[in-house]
């Protein structure tokens, strides 16, 4: 029968005829044959299967062999024995090589035919050894895929015990050697299919024997971390990632990143190759593992690896966005790499040239998937342009291309950046998403205490949080200059862009410290602030003088910076500046005008003087001023309503020569205050009855109708009360009489203060330190003061002055009545038209002093970002129409703002430590901590149109309202950020080496980070607590 079959398949008969005869041969298998005939038939069919010249011969071989093996199983079992199979696997078949896939297919089919025979167990034992040998020989993908098919169907052939671990490791190495040289789609699909079969085999083995998983993964890492230049592991290893349980991420990443035997070069290679895996189609979770490893390396502060890998692979990852199959994973990895690379724009700028082509291409195809992808991509781009806003020439084409896609809010951008920074990853790696406290949480940078420098730190943070001022400072072109403003710009730039949790302002401290301030000793933050603003103001005036006397070609940075300041920071004020010169930046931001008006009560002649100020010093009003108050009923007296605020009139002349400040009886401070008096406060003794009046004119005083009450019936004074007390008329009498030139003698007089020009930022200093003449020490007034969110500043602008004396005074304090300021004022017959107006301000920053005296304690500050275009301005104008309302407009606005404050961000700046807080904490600080009192307040004027930054932000030069940094500043920040990452990495390695013996953690920011809010370490707090008085220094 074998001879007939052999002659038939090699004959030239028609194919249909051959098929009919073959069918007859198959049917004859049911008949009895002797052993020799069966063996001859098995030899023939084996030869046809393995060496058939065409598909017909091979098909005939399979059909006949299967039929005869079924009916003559003992004979086939004797034929398909261990020796025969071993010969096929080790020597091949005649001219057929042993590595030919046909041999594996033949053995696979043979096992199916003798599955129920006892001898199959011997074949299983044989194949357990042979498949391990075959895998060690690094078979090609096709042969390995056929082997995987065999082992999937016959798991008994998989090596057992320790050999199973070896088999898995060798199979991993084999996958690492896979290569596909073809670029044709058909061949590529077949290659992917072959790799998938092999990876599925490994998955099945891992499930059956979990002990093989970890050694297999170690082998994967060994392959991809190899530094052998002659070997490049295959991307096909990516097919294994989807089979690794995600629950193992934490354990595996910790093991990899903390293993001291893994060198940086190996880790870098491994990470780069894992990123290459993003190009493998159908592989799932590759992006998850790549991001997890990136976070793991950040957690152990191996920033050098992250920097090198990001710069090396960022463009490759971006290019993967072109391919739909791998786009989601590539976008996830790209987003993490860019958002975490926050110390330098270098990585982002590598992909910027490629963004436009990608956006235009995806917009043109119009597919829903493309649109959804572009929405995600544009959000990422907006985040990066916000973080690195100093490159408008690069960003403007991109902004134009993505203008139709939604732009994330600034709050969302900050949240994304804060969560993604390398320094926000937990070094414990309890979770890949856990975060540390510090800048990574708040987005703000602390200032390191250099030794009793909390007075400077608190002031600098308040100035930095003055948004418009910060933006103007950062926008100045001061390259080549060495001015104090340049150093302030440098400090602001680092506070805005450094990766450090806290920055050490040593250079600025040495440049800005007043000469009379002893280093490392306690100082007054208000005094420092005045000195700093004065220095900056005078410095700019000197530069302007130098500019006016130099030829234009030799001005250098001076001319450029001043021109830029003039063009970018023009203030749109209702009253034009007429002093004959251009205002300095300090004048534009903090400068106001205060007019002192003195009227002789004998002859009625008047004199006045206008002075500039940058802050107002507010004294506490005496308690007796409240006890003697006697107000008329507004319904029965000639009072008026203006914007919902009460205005009281004080009629009639005062005849008593010894009366001091009778008009002060009607000012707003209708609250009881501490009886302790500060230096320069008015005397306690004065009477105020219904007969008390001011001759010739009535004085309109604002009255606050809604003052919170203390439990004991006493009222808590507000900042509004203190401000109105400051502006209330004062009677100069007794030792403080006014010298009238018209009378040529000392006379009783009335002195009034009026603000004629309001500043952009109103700085108020509460005079809490009084001089005790008995003990010759400065004591602190610990009274609580209510801080309104909205402050309405009464401004009386004058339309004309016939004679006006102006001078710049950085500290205008009119509370010291020991000096008769009226003697310095010259009489003037100026007629004026006053335009009283209430200008709304929003609370921006609060500098708090903690302690019981000026010689001890600690400074810290609360602050928030406030611009000049808050919605409260519209709320203010709306409230002006409520003429019948009992509450004032400020009360209406403040109530609305307080309701919204929970959603606004307040920050607590305490030297190195910066934390989130709320306005409720600011309000209750003194009630909770009696020694912690508000000292210096910053209020931001609310404008209907913000002329300070609006022009810049709309021109496209400023991104998200922030000015672009000069290249010199950006380079310095980038260099320091890289240095910081290297420092962190070295510190982390040192801690890892000393982990067994290190009982105390590394604290680079000093001891002040973990102390209570109102203290400066063990010597802070002030006011007792068992500490030595000498140690209670102002840090």
């Amino acid at each position: 029968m074998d001879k007939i079959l052999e002659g038939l398949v090699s004959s030239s008969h028609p194919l249909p005829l051959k098929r009919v005869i073959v069918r007859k041969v198959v049917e004859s298998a049911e008949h009895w044959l002797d052993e020799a005939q069966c063996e001859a038939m098995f030899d023939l069919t084996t030869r046809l299967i393995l060496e058939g010249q065409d598909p017909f011969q091979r098909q005939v071989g399979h059909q006949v062999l299967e039929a005869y093996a079924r009916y003559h199983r003992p004979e086939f079992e004797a034929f398909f024995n261990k020796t025969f199979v071993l010969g096929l696997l080790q020597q091949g078949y005649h001219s057929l090589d042993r590595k030919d896939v046909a041999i594996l297919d033949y053995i696979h089919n043979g096992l199916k035919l003798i599955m129920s025979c006892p001898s199959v167990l011997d074949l299983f034992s044989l194949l357990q050894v042979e498949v391990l040998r075959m895998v060690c020989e690094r078979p090609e993908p096709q042969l390995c895929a056929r082997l995987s098919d065999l082992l999937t169907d016959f798991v008994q052939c998989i090596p057992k015990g320790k050999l199973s671990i070896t088999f898995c490791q060798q199979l991993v190495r084999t996958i690492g050697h896979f290569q596909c040289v073809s670029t044709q789609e058909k061949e590529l699909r077949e290659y992917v299919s072959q790799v998938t079969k092999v990876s599925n085999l490994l998955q099945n083995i891992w499930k059956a024997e979990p002990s093989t998983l970890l050694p297999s993964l170690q082998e994967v890492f060994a392959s991809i971390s190899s530094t052998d230049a002659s070997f490049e592991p295959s991307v096909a290893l990516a097919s294994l990632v989807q089979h690794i349980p995600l629950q193992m991420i934490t354990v595996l990443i910790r093991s990899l990143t903390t293993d001291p035997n893994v060198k940086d070069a190996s880790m870098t290679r491994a990470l780069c190759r894992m990123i290459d895996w993003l190009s493998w189609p159908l592989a799932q979770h590759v992006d998850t593992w790549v991001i997890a490893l990136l976070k793991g390396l950040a957690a152990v502060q191996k920033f050098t690896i992250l920097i090198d890998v990001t710069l090396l692979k960022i463009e490759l990852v971006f290019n993967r966005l072109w391919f739909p199959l791998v786009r989601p994973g590539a976008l996830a990895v790209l987003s993490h790499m860019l958002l975490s690379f926050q110390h330098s724009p270098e990585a982002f700028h590598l992909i910027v040239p490629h963004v436009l082509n990608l956006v235009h291409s995806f917009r043109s195809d119009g597919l829903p998937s493309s649109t959804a992808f572009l929405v995600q991509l544009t959000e990422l781009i907006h985040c990066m342009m916000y973080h690195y806003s100093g490159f408008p020439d690069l960003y403007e084409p991109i902004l134009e291309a993505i203008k139709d896609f939604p732009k994330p809010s600034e709050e969302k951008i900050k949240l994304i950046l804060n969560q993604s920074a390398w320094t926000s990853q937990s070094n414990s790696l309890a979770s890949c998403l856990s975060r540390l406290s510090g800048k990574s949480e708040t987005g703000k940078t602390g200032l390191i205490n250099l030794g009793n420098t909390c007075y400077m730190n608190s002031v600098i943070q308040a100035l930095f949080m003055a948004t418009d001022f910060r933006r103007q400072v950062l926008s100045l072109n001061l390259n080549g200059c060495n001015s104090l403003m340049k150093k302030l710009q440098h400090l602001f730039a680092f506070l805005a862009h450094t990766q450090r949790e806290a920055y050490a302002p040593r250079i600025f401290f040495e440049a800005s410290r007043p000469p009379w301030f002893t280093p490392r000793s306690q100082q007054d933050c208000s005094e420092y602030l005045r000195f700093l603003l004065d220095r900056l103001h005078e410095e700019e005036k000197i530069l302007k003088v130098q500019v006016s006397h130099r030829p234009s070609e030799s001005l250098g940075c001076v001319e450029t910076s001043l021109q830029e300041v003039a063009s970018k920071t023009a203030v749109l004020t209702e009253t034009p500046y007429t002093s004959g010169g251009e205002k300095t930046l300090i004048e534009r931001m903090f400068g106001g005008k205060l007019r002192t008006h003195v009227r002789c009560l004998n002859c009625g002649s008047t004199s006045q003087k206008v002075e500039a100020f940058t802050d107002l010093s507010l004294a506490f009003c005496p308690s007796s001023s409240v006890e003697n108050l006697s107000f008329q009923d507004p319904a029965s007296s000639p009072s008026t309503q203006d914007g919902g605020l009460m205005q009281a009139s004080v009629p009639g002349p005062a005849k008593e020569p010894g009366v001091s400040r009778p008009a002060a009886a009607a000012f707003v401070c209708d609250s009881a205050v501490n009886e302790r008096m500060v230096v320069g406060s008015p005397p306690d003794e004065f009477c105020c009855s219904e007969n008390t009046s001011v001759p010739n004119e009535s004085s309109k005083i604002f009255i606050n109708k809604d003052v919170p009450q203390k439990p004991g019936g006493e009222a808590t004074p507000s900042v509004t009360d203190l401000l109105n007390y400051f502006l209330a008329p004062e009677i100069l009498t007794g030792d403080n009489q006014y010298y009238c030139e018209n009378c040529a003698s000392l006379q009783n007089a009335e002195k009034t203060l009026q603000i004629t020009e309001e500043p952009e930022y109103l700085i108020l200093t509460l005079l809490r330190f009084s001089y005790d003449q008995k003990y010759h020490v400065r004591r602190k007034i610990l009274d609580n003061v209510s801080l309104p969110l909205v402050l309405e500043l009464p401004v009386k602008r004058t339309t004309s002055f016939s004679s006006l004396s102006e001078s710049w005074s950085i500290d205008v304090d009119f509370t010291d009545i020991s000096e008769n300021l009226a003697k310095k004022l010259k009489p003037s017959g100026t007629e004026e038209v006053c335009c009283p107006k209430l200008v709304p301000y929003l609370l921006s920053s609060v500098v708090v002093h903690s302690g019981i005296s000026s010689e001890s304690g600690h400074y810290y500050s609360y602050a928030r970002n406030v611009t000049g275009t808050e919605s409260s301005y519209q709320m203010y104008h709306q409230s002006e129409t409520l003429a019948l309302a009992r509450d004032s407009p400020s009360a209406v606005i403040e109530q609305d703002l307080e309701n919204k404050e929970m959603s606004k961000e307040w920050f607590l700046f305490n030297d190195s430590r910066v934390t989130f807080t709320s306005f409720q904490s600011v309000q209750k600080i003194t009630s909770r901590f009696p020694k912690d009192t508000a000292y210096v307040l910053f209020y931001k004027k609310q404008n209907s149109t913000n002329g300070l930054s609006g022009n810049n932000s709309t021109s496209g030069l400023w991104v998200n309202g922030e000015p672009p940094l000069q290249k010199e500043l950006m380079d310095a920040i980038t260099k320091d950020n890289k240095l910081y990452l290297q420092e962190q990495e070295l510190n982390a390695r040192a801690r890892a080496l000393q982990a067994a013996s290190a009982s105390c953690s590394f604290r680079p920011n000093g001891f002040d980070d973990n102390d209570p809010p109102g203290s400066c370490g063990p010597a802070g707090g002030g006011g007792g607590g068992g500490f030595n008085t000498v140690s209670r220094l102002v840090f």
Side-chain angles (χ1 to χ4, degrees):
M1 187 62 68
D2 60 300
K3 298 299 183 182
I4 297 174
L5 182 61
E6 185 177 6
L8 176 66
V9 297
S10 60
S11 68
S12 59
H13 294 299
L15 191 58
L17 178 61
K18 290 182 179 182
R19 292 185 185 281
V20 172
I21 299 174
V22 168
R23 190 179 301 116
K24 297 295 184 181
V25 172
V26 171
E27 291 174 355
S28 67
E30 299 178 6
H31 302 149
W32 180 89
L33 293 175
D34 59 22
E35 186 175 346
Q37 290 176 325
C38 287
E39 185 176 353
M41 184 60 73
F42 293 147
D43 279 334
L44 174 61
T45 54
T46 299
R47 187 169 69 253
L48 290 175
I49 293 171
L50 297 178
E51 295 183 323
Q53 298 177 358
D54 53 52
F56 174 73
Q57 292 185 5
R58 293 192 289 272
Q59 182 183 11
V60 169
H62 279 295
Q63 290 178 349
V64 175
L65 177 63
E66 183 177 347
Y68 276 77
R70 184 184 305 116
Y71 290 103
H72 305 278
R73 184 151 300 182
E75 288 78 7
F76 182 72
E77 184 178 4
F79 172 80
F80 195 75
N81 55 33
K82 289 178 60 176
T83 304
F84 176 69
V85 173
L86 184 62
L88 290 176
L89 292 174
Q90 293 188 351
Q91 301 173 11
Y93 184 81
H94 299 168
S95 62
L96 199 65
D97 186 77
R98 62 189 177 89
K99 294 184 179 181
D100 197 294
V101 294
I103 291 179
L104 271 184
D105 289 341
Y106 176 80
I107 295 174
H108 191 174
N109 290 328
L111 290 174
K112 292 179 181 179
L113 295 174
I114 65 168
M115 187 61 190
S116 59
C117 300
S119 61
V120 74
L121 298 177
D122 296 333
L123 291 178
F124 289 161
S125 300
L126 171 68
L127 289 173
Q128 287 178 4
V129 177
E130 286 302 304
V131 296
L132 180 57
R133 177 189 61 78
M134 292 177 63
V135 170
C136 292
E137 292 177 351
R138 308 290 175 259
E140 293 298 319
Q142 185 182 19
L143 179 61
C144 200
R146 298 298 176 84
L147 179 62
S148 298
D149 289 338
L150 186 153
L151 296 178
T152 300
D153 289 343
F154 298 98
V155 295
Q156 301 90 335
C157 299
I158 299 175
K160 306 299 179 184
K162 293 183 178 180
L163 290 181
S164 65
I165 296 177
T166 304
F167 176 77
C168 290
Q169 291 175 323
Q170 293 299 324
L171 193 56
V172 168
R173 293 188 185 182
T174 299
I175 297 175
H177 282 79
F178 284 175
Q179 298 296 332
C180 181
V181 295
S182 176
T183 58
Q184 300 299 318
E185 183 178 354
K186 181 179 179 181
E187 284 78 3
L188 288 174
R189 288 182 178 275
E190 185 178 355
Y191 174 67
V192 171
S193 176
Q194 294 165 354
V195 174
T196 302
K197 289 182 178 181
V198 180
S199 65
N200 288 338
L201 171 64
L202 270 173
Q203 180 192 20
N204 294 333
I205 297 176
W206 292 343
K207 287 182 178 179
E209 297 189 53
S211 61
T212 61
L213 176 57
L214 190 57
S216 300
L217 298 182
Q218 290 173 340
E219 193 61 42
V220 172
F221 184 77
S223 297
I224 64 176
S225 63
S226 172
T227 56
D228 184 1
S230 62
F231 170 69
E232 183 62 32
S234 172
V235 173
L237 287 170
S239 62
L240 299 177
V241 174
Q242 59 189 326
H243 303 310
I244 305 173
L246 292 178
Q247 296 86 345
M248 298 185 65
I249 285 183
T250 301
V251 175
L252 292 178
I253 297 301
R254 182 189 294 116
S255 176
L256 287 177
T257 55
T258 59
D259 188 349
N261 297 320
V262 179
K263 305 302 180 184
D264 285 359
S266 298
M267 182 62 75
T268 301
R269 287 292 184 93
L271 185 53
C272 285
R273 286 162 176 162
M274 286 181 67
I275 293 173
D276 292 339
W277 290 354
L278 291 171
S279 60
W280 183 258
L282 305 180
Q284 301 176 1
H285 308 312
V286 172
D287 57 317
T288 304
W289 283 93
V290 170
I291 293 173
L293 184 54
L294 290 171
K295 290 183 176 182
L297 291 171
V300 295
Q301 299 177 334
K302 293 187 177 180
F303 301 121
T304 301
I305 298 176
L306 293 171
I307 293 173
D308 293 343
V309 171
T310 301
L311 296 179
L312 189 63
K313 291 295 181 179
I314 194 73
E315 291 180 279
L316 181 144
V317 175
F318 185 84
N319 289 333
R320 293 295 177 266
L321 299 177
W322 289 96
F323 305 101
L325 282 178
V326 299
R327 185 179 300 148
L331 180 60
V333 174
L334 178 72
S335 299
H336 180 80
M337 293 176 76
L338 287 178
L339 293 171
S340 60
F341 198 92
Q342 295 186 14
H343 69 284
S344 164
E346 188 175 0
F348 178 52
H349 288 176
L350 285 175
I351 70 163
V352 163
H354 311 297
V355 170
L356 281 180
N357 289 337
L358 187 72
V359 172
H360 290 320
S361 175
F362 279 84
R363 290 192 66 174
S364 61
D365 64 26
L367 296 176
S369 59
S370 300
T371 303
F373 160 72
L374 284 179
V375 170
Q376 295 176 309
L377 180 64
T378 53
E379 181 177 282
L380 171 64
I381 292 172
H382 278 300
C383 288
M384 299 314 299
M385 290 192 297
Y386 175 88
H387 192 61
Y388 298 112
S389 57
F391 305 91
D393 54 327
L394 296 178
Y395 300 160
E396 284 181 352
I398 298 177
L399 285 172
E400 180 65 24
I402 63 176
K403 63 182 180 180
D404 296 331
F405 293 94
K407 178 182 178 182
S409 64
E410 186 173 356
E411 291 74 17
K412 184 177 182 180
I413 291 176
K414 290 180 178 179
L415 178 63
I416 293 173
L417 290 170
N418 291 341
Q419 290 178 340
S420 304
W422 286 336
T423 50
S424 71
Q425 309 308 320
S426 169
N427 55 12
S428 65
L429 210 68
S431 167
C432 288
L433 295 179
S434 57
R435 296 159 51 194
L436 295 173
S437 59
K439 185 182 180 182
S440 60
E441 181 176 326
T442 64
K444 302 299 179 183
T445 304
L447 287 172
I448 296 176
N449 195 310
L450 305 177
N452 295 356
T453 59
C454 66
Y455 67 89
M456 177 190 72
N457 291 348
S458 57
V459 165
I460 293 301
Q461 294 287 17
L463 290 174
F464 177 79
M465 293 298 287
T467 306
D468 290 341
F469 177 63
R470 177 185 73 245
R471 290 173 177 174
Q472 299 309 312
V473 171
L474 292 177
S475 69
L476 298 176
N477 186 356
L478 301 173
N479 290 336
C481 298
N482 192 31
S483 62
L484 182 60
M485 183 64 79
K486 173 66 175 178
K487 294 179 175 62
L488 181 63
Q489 183 187 61
H490 186 275
L491 177 55
F492 277 7
F494 270 80
L495 285 176
H497 297 285
T498 185
Q499 290 291 296
R500 299 179 184 273
E501 292 181 1
Y503 181 73
R506 292 185 177 86
I507 296 177
F508 186 80
F509 171 67
E510 294 299 330
S512 65
R513 179 175 58 84
W516 60 89
F517 276 20
T518 305
R520 304 187 69 83
S521 64
Q522 69 275 21
Q523 304 296 343
D524 187 339
C525 77
S526 177
E527 184 179 4
Y528 172 79
L529 174 61
R530 295 189 189 108
F531 176 81
L532 174 61
L533 296 182
D534 189 34
R535 276 280 309 277
L536 294 172
H537 165 73
E538 294 296 336
E539 183 182 79
E540 186 174 345
K541 285 204 305 184
I542 293 174
L543 289 177
K544 288 184 178 183
V545 173
Q546 294 175 350
V547 168
S548 63
H549 290 84
R550 292 182 183 179
S552 59
E553 62 272 11
S554 64
L555 296 180
C557 70
V558 175
E559 181 185 40
T560 304
S561 64
L562 294 179
Q563 287 179 350
E564 185 168 341
V565 170
S567 63
K568 290 186 177 182
T569 62
V571 182
L572 301 178
T573 56
E574 296 182 24
T575 304
Y577 186 65
T578 58
S579 64
E582 184 180 320
K583 286 186 176 182
T584 65
L585 177 59
I586 301 303
E587 286 178 298
R588 287 192 297 274
M589 291 288 104
F590 305 102
K593 297 292 178 60
L594 189 69
R595 181 178 62 185
T596 303
H597 184 277
V598 179
R599 184 169 61 89
C600 177
L601 295 181
N602 182 46
C603 67
S605 63
T606 62
S607 63
Q608 62 184 9
K609 180 180 181 181
V610 175
E611 293 181 307
F613 68 88
T614 54
D615 78 310
L616 298 178
S617 299
L618 305 183
F620 283 76
C621 44
S623 58
S624 57
S625 66
V626 178
E627 297 171 358
N628 296 325
L629 283 178
S630 178
F631 295 112
Q632 294 181 355
D633 186 353
S636 60
S637 64
S639 61
T640 61
Q641 294 276 349
D642 183 7
L645 289 177
M646 296 296 297
Q647 295 182 341
S649 298
V650 186
K655 301 299 182 182
E656 297 84 350
V659 172
S660 174
R661 292 191 82 161
F667 80 100
V668 196
C669 191
D670 57 349
S671 55
V673 296
N674 196 301
E675 293 184 359
R676 290 170 292 176
M677 297 296 298
V678 297
V679 175
S681 60
D684 293 289
E685 307 84 9
F686 66 91
C687 61
C688 182
S689 64
E690 295 181 0
N691 296 326
T692 303
S693 63
V694 180
N696 301 331
E697 70 174 43
S698 62
S699 298
K700 295 181 178 180
I701 310 298
F702 299 102
I703 298 178
N704 187 347
K705 303 290 290 183
D706 186 16
V707 180
Q709 296 293 322
K710 292 183 181 179
E714 298 180 342
T716 299
S718 70
V719 173
T720 306
D721 298 333
L722 303 189
L723 181 61
N724 287 330
Y725 178 66
F726 173 77
L727 297 174
E730 176 186 4
I731 298 299
L732 304 178
T733 184
D735 294 337
N736 201 30
Q737 280 188 318
Y738 162 70
Y739 181 81
C740 177
E741 292 187 358
N742 189 43
C743 298
S745 62
L746 292 174
Q747 297 291 337
N748 292 344
E750 179 192 57
K751 182 177 76 172
T752 58
L753 302 177
Q754 294 175 344
I755 297 173
T756 60
E757 183 178 321
E758 74 279 8
E760 283 296 322
Y761 284 94
L762 175 65
I763 302 177
L764 302 176
T765 301
L766 308 186
L767 295 176
R768 290 192 171 275
F769 300 109
S770 61
Y771 184 72
D772 189 322
Q773 296 183 351
K774 180 178 179 180
Y775 296 99
H776 303 288
V777 295
R778 292 180 69 196
R779 300 189 182 278
K780 181 179 178 181
I781 299 175
L782 296 173
D783 294 350
N784 190 13
V785 175
S786 174
L787 307 178
L789 265 177
V790 179
L791 180 70
E792 291 175 326
L793 184 69
V795 178
K796 294 187 178 180
R797 297 187 178 93
T798 56
T799 57
S800 65
F801 292 100
S802 60
S803 174
L804 190 62
S805 173
E806 294 187 5
S807 63
W808 177 266
S809 176
I810 199 68
D811 178 15
V812 181
D813 186 352
F814 293 97
T815 58
D816 189 356
I817 63 170
S818 60
E819 177 183 359
N820 189 356
L821 296 179
K823 292 182 179 180
K824 299 181 180 180
L825 303 179
K826 303 300 181 182
S828 172
T830 302
E831 293 185 0
E832 59 196 30
V833 179
C834 294
C835 307
K837 179 181 179 181
L838 295 179
V839 180
Y841 281 80
L842 279 185
L843 183 62
S844 171
S845 303
V846 180
V847 179
V848 176
H849 176 262
S850 175
I852 60 170
S853 73
S854 61
E855 285 76 27
S856 65
H858 174 60
Y859 288 105
Y860 56 95
S861 56
Y862 292 94
R864 61 169 175 162
N865 289 308
V866 176
T867 61
T869 56
E870 299 286 334
S871 60
S872 61
Y873 184 75
Q874 286 77 15
M875 294 163 51
Y876 165 74
H877 284 288
Q878 293 171 5
S879 65
E880 284 187 325
T881 63
L882 304 177
L884 300 178
R886 295 181 58 87
D887 295 332
S888 66
S890 61
V892 175
I893 301 170
E894 186 164 344
Q895 182 62 41
D896 289 340
L897 286 179
E898 286 181 358
N899 294 336
K900 297 180 180 179
E901 265 312 296
M902 294 304 293
S903 62
K904 291 182 177 291
E905 287 188 352
W906 278 84
F907 302 93
L908 171 58
F909 296 91
N910 196 344
D911 286 337
S912 302
R913 183 176 177 82
V914 185
T915 55
F916 286 118
T917 187
S918 65
F919 182 64
Q920 285 72 18
S921 298
V922 181
Q923 286 179 311
K924 298 177 181 178
I925 184 66
T926 303
S927 60
R928 294 176 59 196
F929 306 98
K931 297 167 188 161
D932 294 25
T933 54
Y935 184 38
V936 179
L937 312 176
F938 285 69
Y939 278 89
K940 176 66 179 73
K941 185 176 76 169
Q942 296 304 287
N943 303 317
S944 57
T945 56
N946 189 5
L948 290 169
S949 59
N951 295 335
N952 295 305
S953 60
T954 57
S955 67
L957 296 177
W958 292 18
V959 178
N960 294 295
E962 295 298 328
L965 292 184
Q966 303 296 326
K967 183 179 184 301
E968 177 186 357
L969 277 177
M970 181 60 73
D971 290 345
I973 293 169
T974 300
K975 181 179 179 181
D976 184 72
N977 282 341
K978 190 170 183 179
L979 176 62
Y980 168 69
L981 294 177
Q982 293 171 347
E983 292 172 356
Q984 295 296 98
E985 183 173 356
L986 291 175
N987 292 332
R989 292 176 186 272
R991 287 197 300 271
L993 293 175
Q994 301 174 359
S997 58
S999 58
C1000 58
S1001 61
F1002 175 71
R1003 300 169 64 188
N1005 295 334
F1007 61 82
D1008 60 296
D1009 271 6
N1010 293 325
D1011 290 313
S1015 68
C1016 227
F1027 293 116
N1028 188 292
T1029 306
V1030 178
S1031 70
R1032 296 198 306 270
L1033 303 178
V1034 177
F1035 275 55

